[in-house]
Amino acid sequence: AQKVTQAQTEISVVEKEDVTLDCVYETRDTTYYLFWYKQPPSGELVFLIRRNSFDEQNEISGRYSWNFQKSTSSFNFTITASQVVDSAVYFCALEPSGNTPLVFGKGTRLSVIA
Amino acid sequence: GAVVSQHPSWVICKSGTSVKIECRSLDFQATTMFWYRQFPKQSLMLMATSNEGSKATYEQGVEKDKFLINHASLTLSTLTVTSAHPEDSSFYICSARDLDGGEQFFGPGTRLTVL
């Protein structure tokens, strides 16, 4: 079975704090992709990252960084020096191999307070 | 980058009417498109898989006669909500899989409100 678990339903931080959003996935496929999306109040999904299962290198993009660990089936997302504009719902998703749709976690609502 | 559009972006209709939502891949071809539904404060749930030139595959619990899907070309899939009721009010999002690269790209979503 394919499953994505985002245990944190809501997180609230003060501006400039660092925050990590957790994501744990389950799949029996050896080839798969992992994603993070941001969904602001407007609703449109904003693509953040796509990671192949064979690439375990951590990735950094500005204030964003991702830690992929196959040993623990986790793909965590860290925002450094958070800003109010980071307030949104963040979804972690899994795309199993083949022509399959994405499996989404339940999302984590992040509120950054000024 | 690849762009997927949805039309309309929002729609309000009366109960009992039908609403058609279009999903277009603007700069790539997509043999497969997926339709998701998102209720307030919930995650995206897959409704159906739309394949060009063939019948759509619906997820368990999704009524195929109520949510009609047509994927008539490599760039267009439509979702028609027939005889809409207030409980169908939701945010509908499509994604299209690039025929060449295999990546999926999401549309901006359509917010449906049924009065």
Side-chain angles (χ1 to χ4, degrees):
Chain A
Q2 326 284 356
K3 186 179 178 182
V4 175
T5 301
Q6 293 180 256
Q8 304 148 309
T9 305
E10 295 190 28
I11 299 177
S12 184
V13 298
V14 176
E15 202 171 23
K16 297 184 182 177
E17 286 185 352
D18 298 347
V19 58
T20 295
L21 309 182
D22 298 332
C23 174
V24 175
Y25 63 93
E26 294 177 33
T27 181
R28 291 183 179 174
D29 292 344
T30 54
T31 302
Y32 51 90
Y33 290 93
L34 294 165
F35 299 79
W36 275 96
Y37 288 91
K38 174 183 180 180
Q39 189 177 45
S42 65
E44 182 168 357
L45 288 177
V46 177
F47 169 83
L48 296 178
I49 190 170
R50 177 185 190 233
R51 176 49 53 88
N52 183 298
S53 56
F54 294 109
D55 183 2
E56 284 194 74
Q57 273 194 324
N58 290 336
E59 174 123 359
I60 299 175
S61 176
R63 296 186 296 109
Y64 296 168
S65 62
W66 290 269
N67 185 317
F68 177 28
Q69 293 197 353
K70 286 180 77 169
S71 60
T72 56
S73 296
S74 65
F75 187 44
N76 297 337
F77 171 36
T78 298
I79 301 175
T80 303
S82 59
Q83 300 176 3
V84 173
V85 293
D86 296 326
S87 297
V89 179
Y90 291 85
F91 289 99
C92 180
L94 164 71
E95 181 184 3
S97 60
N99 191 19
T100 56
L102 270 61
V103 177
F104 284 84
K106 292 189 175 182
T108 298
R109 182 175 299 274
L110 173 66
S111 297
V112 181
I113 304 165
Chain B
V3 178
V4 176
S5 70
Q6 281 186 242
H7 178 79
S9 54
W10 60 270
V11 57
I12 301 173
C13 69
K14 292 182 179 180
S15 187
T17 60
S18 294
V19 175
K20 180 186 283 188
I21 302 170
E22 293 185 350
C23 176
R24 291 183 186 271
S25 56
L26 298 186
D27 48 4
F28 65 97
Q29 293 184 323
T31 53
T32 302
M33 292 185 177
F34 302 102
W35 287 96
Y36 298 82
R37 180 168 55 181
Q38 184 182 28
F39 291 109
K41 297 194 175 183
Q42 294 188 24
S43 187
L44 282 77
M45 296 300 296
L46 179 69
M47 297 177 66
T49 300
S50 168
N51 294 299
E52 187 265 340
S54 64
K55 290 183 179 180
T57 304
Y58 292 82
E59 295 300 297
Q60 193 173 7
V62 177
E63 300 174 53
K64 63 179 181 180
D65 294 330
K66 180 171 182 61
F67 298 98
L68 302 179
I69 291 174
N70 186 291
H71 194 155
S73 77
L74 288 173
T75 59
L76 173 64
S77 175
T78 60
L79 168 68
T80 300
V81 184
T82 62
S83 187
H85 288 97
E87 56 265 32
D88 298 323
S89 299
S90 188
F91 192 54
Y92 293 85
I93 306 176
C94 72
S95 73
R97 177 182 289 277
D98 187 337
L99 181 62
D100 289 333
E103 280 191 63
Q104 290 187 42
F105 301 94
F106 283 85
T110 296
R111 195 166 300 280
L112 169 64
T113 301
V114 185
L115 302 177

